[in-house]
Amino acid sequence: MRDPRYDILFEPVQIGPVRTKNRFYVVPHATAMGMTALEEMIAFRKARAEGGWGVVCLEETMIHETSDHAPLPDPRMYHDKYIEPLSRVVSAVKEYGALAGVELAHAGASGPAIYHREHPLSPSTKYPHYFYNPIAARSIDRQDILDFRRWYRDAAIRAKKAGFDIIYVYCAHNLSLLQDFLDSGVNKRTDEYGGVFENRVRLLHETLSDVKDAVGDTCAVAVRFAVEERRRASSITALEDGRRVVEALADVPDLWDVNVSDWAWDSGSSRFFDEGQQEPFIDFVKKVTSKPVVGVGRFTSPDAMVSQIKRGVLDLIGAARPSISDPFLPNKINEGRQDDIRECIGCNACTAEVMTSSRIRCTQNPSAGEEHVSGWHPENVPAAHDPDASILVVGGGPAGLEAAHTLAKRGYQVSIADAGKEWGGRLVRERRLPRLSAWGRVVDYRVGQLQTMPNVNMYLDSPLGADDVGGFEADHVIVATGAKWRGGGVGRHHDEPIPGHDLPHVLTPEDILDDRLPKSGSVVVYDEDYYYMAAVVADRLAKAGCKVTYVTTASDPSPWTHNTLEMVHVINSMNEAGISIVVGTSIVSISEDSVRVNRLLDGADSEIAADAVVLVTGQVSEEGLYHQLVEKREAGLIRSVERIGDCLGAGQIAQATYDGRKAGMRFGTTTE
Ligand code: ADP
Ligand code: SF4
């Protein structure tokens, strides 16, 4: 039963001519599905509506060929042929009583227009931000402006025909022609659309008015507006033009969907941003407009949501990542099951898949993006083919815990054992590293669920050998024994160990994870892993008083974090911590007080003083037990065995939870 304290979250909100059933609002967010993965998109959005969200929006939907984000696959609304396919998304969402929204957008100079070979558009000549496309966005003339307004109107009419209830005008994320017009740094026009604020806001005002005239009788018209551009100096700040826009257009849209810009600040990862981090920027909006306001904050706690509403910050609780991580968050609160919420950990594995133009995925919720492809539901699992069948899971990290949870939900008899004294595998130690504590939710959610299930036996402090495993007489064994950071320096660049790797002052992340830190002094942290570990180790050592030099063969520090929107914050935090950054450089050899490095571009060698070196060059699977068990299976001593997660191949936690879900879902359907 619902806790009455949360009743306020289930109140309807009037947005122009439409009314929500509650205050839970899935804001537009990318999925990398677009028109080419329509069935996937329908199933993905439908799952959120089924889980109780009152509004479910579609991401940036392009109004014209000049706004083409290829290779990112965005939905499109610039031709009548798109009405029918997108109406199927609307129907799926409405089946559960949610309103359907669509974020109509023109990307301006940020749309590289690679696919259509059109010239990108900008208020003044500008090069596109993305993909290094060597084509200048052309400055648009007065006829173009009239055309742009017509494209928006026509797209809005199509969206209305498709059945959308809320139709957006997009001015956010530094990805919008309208934001470019507002920004005095970009807009250098001398006509009535450039110069003073009243001119720069003109096109946004006209576009909103056009869309309202075209569809406002039955559809709500929303504006997605970034009140502050945080990546670079800009006229758009919450104290200046951001506020003036809200004042000037206060009651023009039916809904203000407000955030900060660009995406790396809006979807700030938990390593660098707390929940609710946007409040100081957006909290003025409700004081200026009489229209409802929605905003995001990676909110997963109903108490934090209630507080936002009671304190007059928001009317609707916007969510992208919390709805990816738990599509059933509203229903769980409604049923008094808030302890069952699968809380987003803020890792941004979801943005990484978008940035790489692959299908969305989620660390916490392996069903995200798999609703259609694999037929996985966020909550429901197929019943066990035989509830007496027993499974032993060896290893209680993300992969093993997810496999055990899926199998237990299906109704099997599950035993899970781990050698350690705590559940969590790699996360036992990683969650204690600087900035990674929120990642521990991967463990807490699964252990919390497993501990309540009568068909689960959990054994800590239980290192199992192949003979112990045989003693369980399980029908199936899942080996999820993880991986260890390797020494030696073999990695992406080095096929052979680095000379000097065996000196006592040469460490691996295993040492740092076990708190075997170098004594203060000069430390070189060498990164060929390319994700978070080297930067986190550098941070940990800088905090411990070391003088740290971060060296990588990549051309950027922590290059995978470009995809998790973290790279800019990684660099800023390294700079703040006084960590020197050396890119495009390999370690050639290590001696007692220095490392010899080689600059890859020109082959120049030099020395960096180092009292200690940490080699972060990758992990190797702990697969010994698995191979022993395969032999036992071949000898007919155990029935079946498989390996998953880092034991199969070390990678992101999102891969481990995916592997765990897959193993859990397919047991009983295959012979392996
Ligand atoms: P993944 O990310 O794939 O889940 P982790 O490294 O996080 O992998 O977790 C692996 C877990 O397996 C660790 O907690 C480790 O203690 C445990 N483990 C490894 N070998 C054994 C074993 N032989 N018996 C029991 N537990 C084991
Ligand atoms: Fe949250 Fe990470 Fe899932 Fe994205 S991938 S929704 S950040 S848990």
Side-chain angles (χ1 to χ4, degrees), residues 57 74 91 175 237 243 250-251 253 279 289 313 323 326 328 381 389 394 398 414 471 473 561 564 574 577 612 646 652:
C57 294
D74 289 313
S91 306
L175 292 173
T237 71
R243 170 179 273 271
D251 291 341
E279 184 178 329
T289 176
V313 182
S323 72
D326 196 341
F328 277 62
V381 288
V394 187
V414 177
E473 297 191 350
T561 63
T564 56
M574 281 190 179
D646 292 336
Q652 293 182 53

Side-chain angles (χ1 to χ4, degrees), residues 307-569:
S307 161
Q308 289 287 312
I309 292 159
K310 289 206 166 151
R311 289 186 296 111
V313 182
L314 298 174
D315 298 294
L316 293 142
I317 302 300
R321 290 171 292 175
S323 72
I324 299 168
S325 176
D326 196 341
F328 277 62
L329 182 150
N331 281 358
K332 288 177 182 176
I333 298 173
N334 197 25
E335 292 159 11
R337 296 197 297 125
Q338 47 275 8
D339 290 346
D340 292 339
I341 293 173
R342 199 169 39 239
E343 292 182 288
C344 168
I345 67 167
C347 62
N348 284 6
C350 48
T351 72
E353 302 319 309
V354 173
M355 295 293 277
T356 52
S357 298
S358 46
R359 198 163 4 102
I360 194 165
R361 70 172 53 169
C362 172
T363 302
Q364 271 284 55
N365 172 19
S367 76
E370 296 295 327
E371 297 86 352
H372 174 73
V373 177
S374 304
W376 294 353
H377 187 274
E379 297 298 314
N380 304 332
V381 288
H385 75 292
D386 171 6
D388 290 330
S390 63
I391 298 103
L392 171 66
V393 180
V394 187
L401 290 171
E402 175 62 30
H405 185 215
T406 305
L407 287 159
K409 272 180 95 171
R410 290 185 61 195
Y412 290 109
Q413 303 305 311
V414 177
S415 298
I416 179 166
D418 195 286
K421 295 196 182 323
E422 262 180 75
W423 296 108
R426 61 191 279 179
L427 281 170
V428 169
R429 294 179 299 168
E430 288 185 28
R431 69 189 298 178
R432 298 189 172 112
L433 288 171
R435 305 175 191 268
L436 295 187
S437 63
W439 291 18
R441 290 173 170 184
V442 171
V443 182
D444 299 341
Y445 167 71
R446 288 168 177 80
V447 172
Q449 297 287 307
L450 285 167
Q451 281 172 339
T452 65
M453 302 174 99
N455 52 334
V456 177
N457 290 309
M458 303 179 75
Y459 306 99
L460 277 177
D461 219 352
S462 304
L464 300 187
D467 292 339
D468 305 319
V469 169
F472 274 81
E473 297 191 350
D475 292 297
H476 185 54
V477 180
I478 295 176
V479 183
T481 46
K484 287 266 181 294
W485 289 92
R486 69 163 138 217
V490 173
R492 294 176 197 260
H493 188 77
H494 291 280
D495 295 330
E496 302 298 332
I498 299 173
H501 70 88
D502 43 2
L503 289 166
H505 68 296
V506 181
L507 310 174
T508 75
E510 295 293 335
D511 296 297
I512 310 307
L513 286 160
D514 284 340
D515 248 359
R516 288 190 296 274
L517 305 187
K519 297 178 193 69
S520 57
S522 302
V523 185
V524 167
V525 178
Y526 183 54
D527 186 8
E528 287 196 13
D529 173 58
Y530 290 0
Y531 188 18
Y532 60 93
M533 184 52 82
V536 171
V537 164
D539 192 10
R540 172 82 183 86
L541 297 181
K543 285 191 167 72
C546 301
K547 181 179 178 310
V548 181
T549 305
Y550 165 96
V551 178
T552 181
T553 42
S555 51
D556 291 307
S558 302
W560 180 258
T561 63
H562 167 72
N563 299 319
T564 56
L565 313 178
E566 291 171 305
M567 190 195 286
V568 59
H569 308 305

Side-chain angles (χ1 to χ4, degrees), residues 30 60-62 66-69 72 74 103-112 121 126 128-131 152 170-181 183 224 226 229 231-232 236 259-264 266 354-355 565:
E60 265 183 287
T61 299
M62 297 308 179
T66 49
S67 174
D68 137 34
H69 256 173
L72 296 177
D74 289 313
E103 184 177 66
L104 297 180
H106 193 293
S110 74
L121 306 182
K126 185 172 191 271
H129 314 307
Y130 297 108
F131 305 114
Y152 241 114
Y170 181 57
C171 185
H173 293 123
N174 208 5
L175 292 173
S176 155
L177 184 65
L178 288 167
Q179 193 178 353
D180 289 344
F181 263 83
D183 194 321
R224 190 96 182 268
E229 169 57 51
R231 180 179 281 271
R232 58 185 171 76
I236 304 173
N259 61 3
V260 295
S261 176
D262 66 9
W263 197 19
D266 183 26
V354 173
M355 295 293 277
L565 313 178

